[in-house]
Amino acid sequence: MYPIKFHPILKERLWGGKKLGKVLGKPITSEITGESWELSGVKNDVSVVSNGEWAGKTLQQLIDGHPKDLLGQSVVERFGTEFPILIKFIDAKQDLSIQLHPNDELATKRHNSFGKTEMWYIMAAEPKAQLIVGFNKEVSRKEYVQSLDNDTLLDLLNYETVEEGDAFFINTGKIHAIGAGVLLAEIQQTSDITYRVFDFNRRDKDGNLRELHTELALDAIDYGKKDDFKIAYSKEKDRVNAMVDCPYFKTNFLQLTNNKTMNTNDRESFTIYMCVGGSVVVANDYGEAQITKGETVVVPAKSKIISLRTEGVKLLEVTI
């Protein structure tokens, strides 16, 4: 039950670039690498352990063999042996498609999947880089459909200029897109269900327009104007700063200047640390693992004391 690291699962994307390699040290082999899946239980994309005695085993094999010790009693009761979170780093060299994700009810009915609530932490952003998050006014379904027909959807969208350290919470149904020049960490429900509604009329390497999900999206979109997406959080050093507490995950921000011990005796969940700056040795009673910027580690739920040894690190701490 030592702190467990996994091999990244690298994904080519039409909009991807090279920053996952240049900035985060991922072993990319393509100049359009858009995503590094750090921790995944998604079918056909299950993470494989990279350190310690379990090296070579899959996340699912560990869960099947040690469900309560790894996930925690309450997580098993709620999700069974399915890992409930998907962790990624994303490099957008170009704008991503404008998209949204269905809620649990729709995703279960249509795809036998979880919905996709997610959050973003901006690790780097080129000057004037933006996100699209929601609409800039209340929009009716009819007005939305007309904007697709008239190619004026972009006029209805809300644009947010971003910089390092900004964080955003994306509810299901909220229309959104990551803009060119953004490198971010993403925490989300385990789901790969995306409804793409506009793709800037781009074509893939074979000259084809990518599939849109216009009809599926109509019943899934939140047409309201809601300023509920920018996460206001403290960045006080050497303490746990709460960011998100939603039904699907809890995320804290830690900026440590020296060692810290975390008592997790009341936590019935695994703990994930995503390193977004610096480096740290994460240790428990069973072993330790070092992570640097762009790496992720999972501490099994059986751990009740977590030791963080560092001279300087920025971490996203994720639990259920």
Side-chain angles (χ1 to χ4, degrees), residues 169-293:
F169 183 73
I170 311 297
N171 287 306
T172 55
K174 190 179 295 296
I175 199 163
H176 62 273
I178 302 170
V182 175
L183 178 69
L184 60 76
E186 180 175 275
I187 299 156
Q188 61 161 92
Q189 289 176 267
T190 291
S191 172
D192 204 26
I193 306 299
T194 295
Y195 294 162
R196 186 184 300 124
V197 298
F198 185 69
D199 196 33
F200 305 96
N201 301 314
R202 290 181 295 199
R203 297 182 182 272
D204 63 19
K205 60 184 179 181
D206 298 318
N208 301 312
L209 293 170
R210 292 202 294 172
E211 180 184 6
L212 299 180
H213 309 96
T214 306
E215 293 300 321
L216 286 173
L218 291 177
D219 292 332
I221 294 176
D222 181 350
Y223 294 100
K225 180 184 184 301
K226 298 176 181 175
D227 298 325
D228 59 353
F229 46 81
K230 186 87 178 275
I231 300 169
Y233 69 100
S234 170
K235 298 178 183 177
E236 188 175 338
K237 294 180 180 178
D238 298 311
R239 60 157 290 180
V240 177
N241 301 284
M243 298 180 79
V244 169
D245 186 349
C246 76
Y248 308 106
F249 54 82
K250 300 176 183 178
T251 304
N252 299 315
F253 176 77
L254 287 75
Q255 182 171 355
L256 305 180
T257 60
N258 48 45
N259 299 342
K260 187 174 183 65
T261 299
M262 306 290 292
N263 186 331
T264 59
N265 206 46
D266 60 347
R267 185 177 292 173
E268 292 187 10
S269 164
F270 55 86
T271 301
I272 300 168
Y273 288 106
M274 299 184 77
C275 185
V276 295
S279 65
V280 63
V281 174
V282 180
N284 63 6
D285 289 340
Y286 308 96
E288 63 183 43
Q290 182 173 9
I291 55 172
T292 59
K293 183 177 180 179

Side-chain angles (χ1 to χ4, degrees), residues 9 23 26 121 206 241 254 304:
I9 301 170
V23 179
K26 302 298 176 185
Y121 173 87
D206 298 318
N241 301 284
L254 287 75
K304 297 308 175 185

Side-chain angles (χ1 to χ4, degrees), residues 9-186:
I9 301 170
L10 302 173
K11 300 284 188 177
E12 282 192 353
R13 297 291 188 247
L14 183 65
W15 39 262
K18 297 186 287 186
K19 287 181 183 175
L20 293 176
K22 288 186 174 181
V23 179
L24 301 187
K26 302 298 176 185
I28 67 172
T29 57
S30 166
E31 295 189 353
I32 55 167
T33 304
E35 301 184 5
S36 176
W37 291 21
E38 298 294 296
L39 186 55
S40 168
V42 175
K43 186 177 180 180
N44 300 322
D45 278 308
V46 180
S47 296
V48 175
V49 179
S50 65
N51 70 321
E53 64 182 274
W54 286 338
K57 291 187 177 294
T58 68
L59 173 61
Q60 195 60 56
Q61 286 174 318
L62 298 191
I63 293 172
D64 291 342
H66 313 272
K68 294 179 184 178
D69 285 346
L70 182 60
L71 298 180
Q73 176 68 34
S74 64
V75 177
V76 172
E77 289 174 358
R78 184 174 172 194
F79 297 101
T81 57
E82 186 166 358
F83 196 74
I85 293 179
L86 177 57
I87 299 289
K88 302 177 182 177
F89 292 112
I90 295 178
D91 169 26
K93 183 179 180 181
Q94 299 180 35
D95 296 329
L96 272 68
S97 63
I98 297 169
Q99 58 190 245
L100 61 129
H101 310 294
N103 60 26
D104 285 347
E105 183 180 359
L106 265 181
T108 299
K109 179 180 177 181
R110 293 176 173 175
H111 313 286
N112 193 30
S113 170
F114 293 126
K116 186 176 173 183
T117 299
E118 61 190 320
M119 71 161 285
W120 298 330
Y121 173 87
I122 309 300
M123 296 180 66
E126 295 175 8
K128 299 181 180 180
Q130 294 183 314
L131 306 177
I132 290 172
V133 190
F135 292 104
N136 58 29
K137 65 173 187 175
E138 294 286 332
V139 176
S140 69
R141 176 169 170 158
K142 180 179 179 181
E143 188 176 6
Y144 168 77
V145 172
Q146 287 176 338
S147 77
L148 294 181
D149 293 339
N150 300 332
D151 203 19
T152 58
L153 175 62
L154 299 180
D155 296 337
L156 299 179
L157 302 178
N158 175 59
Y159 297 82
E160 295 282 328
T161 301
V162 297
E163 59 184 25
E164 180 184 348
D166 287 346
F168 296 83
F169 183 73
I170 311 297
N171 287 306
T172 55
K174 190 179 295 296
I175 199 163
H176 62 273
I178 302 170
V182 175
L183 178 69
L184 60 76
E186 180 175 275

